[in-house]
Amino acid sequence: PAPVDIPSSAPDEVFNAIDKVLQRTREIWNSQDFGNLKEVWDADDPEPWYVPEEIEQPFFSWAQLERYWNPGRKVLKGFRWDYDELRVKMLCDDLALAIFNHYYEIQLIFGPPEPTAGFDRVLTLFRKTDEGWRHSLYAQCPLGPEAYVRAMRKTLVRPDFEEFTETLK
């Protein structure tokens, strides 16, 4: 089914500010300077939560996050990050919950030589700080196997398929 168009309930000012943080997040990921991601996080939060899909245990500290962002050796040839379908919900004046689709393309230095790609839903908690809205929690929420395969199969349909089927009538 088509995505449900549920508008964000947050004021436009908050939505736009959080969208700007995600735009900056994309710039940082795509620059390959992953250590700079801390600038889009609430650096004063003593317990940042980060739940990556590819790692079994979530991260609950800056030390863990900083090791993840800067593992000490180069492991990626390249990584590209993007997002869409952002929705934002206010929880109180200085907390907002955001959900969006997250897309990535990745190529490892070690392992298979081919690049791969994928997507998840992401649930993020943003806190308003003196510097503006910042991540406090980031959780990737992958689809279950059957739903993921269905979604991937949809991406394989070429854009002209509907036009092709019209010619068959």
Side-chain angles (χ1 to χ4, degrees):
V4 178
D5 186 18
I6 302 171
S8 293
S9 61
D12 287 347
E13 168 187 316
V14 174
F15 177 92
N16 292 335
I18 287 174
D19 190 40
K20 190 171 182 174
V21 172
L22 290 174
Q23 290 172 26
R24 180 64 184 139
T25 301
R26 176 178 53 212
E27 289 171 10
I28 295 168
W29 277 119
N30 296 348
S31 75
Q32 313 303 292
D33 290 327
F34 311 130
N36 291 335
L37 286 163
K38 193 169 183 179
E39 84 178 49
V40 293
W41 279 74
D42 177 3
D44 293 328
D45 186 340
E47 192 179 340
W49 287 17
Y50 193 101
V51 185
E53 69 161 319
E54 76 279 10
I55 296 176
E56 190 173 335
Q57 292 298 315
F59 303 136
F60 301 109
S61 73
W62 287 114
Q64 291 172 311
L65 267 174
E66 288 165 355
R67 267 193 311 278
Y68 177 70
W69 292 332
N70 288 306
R73 64 184 167 101
K74 188 168 170 68
V75 296
L76 301 178
K77 280 188 181 177
F79 183 82
R80 185 161 51 184
W81 186 94
D82 207 351
Y83 73 99
D84 66 12
E85 295 192 26
L86 173 63
R87 301 287 184 268
V88 179
K89 173 183 176 178
M90 296 302 299
L91 300 177
C92 62
D93 290 345
D94 65 345
L95 285 177
L97 192 62
I99 190 168
F100 54 90
N101 294 325
H102 146 256
Y103 304 91
Y104 62 90
E105 297 164 301
I106 187 170
Q107 188 170 19
L108 302 172
I109 290 175
F110 308 102
E114 306 84 20
T116 60
F119 61 91
D120 302 307
R121 297 163 299 183
V122 174
L123 192 61
T124 306
L125 185 64
F126 283 89
R127 178 176 289 119
K128 188 173 185 183
T129 69
D130 291 341
E131 292 77 34
W133 290 92
R134 297 293 185 262
H135 295 280
S136 179
L137 171 144
Y138 184 98
Q140 295 173 343
C141 308
L143 297 170
E146 291 86 12
Y148 194 85
V149 169
R150 274 195 310 275
M152 287 298 293
R153 290 183 68 198
K154 288 178 187 177
T155 68
L156 298 174
V157 176
R158 292 184 286 186
D160 68 342
F161 185 74
E162 192 171 324
E163 181 181 312
F164 168 76
T165 59
E166 288 298 317
T167 67
L168 301 175
K169 292 181 179 178

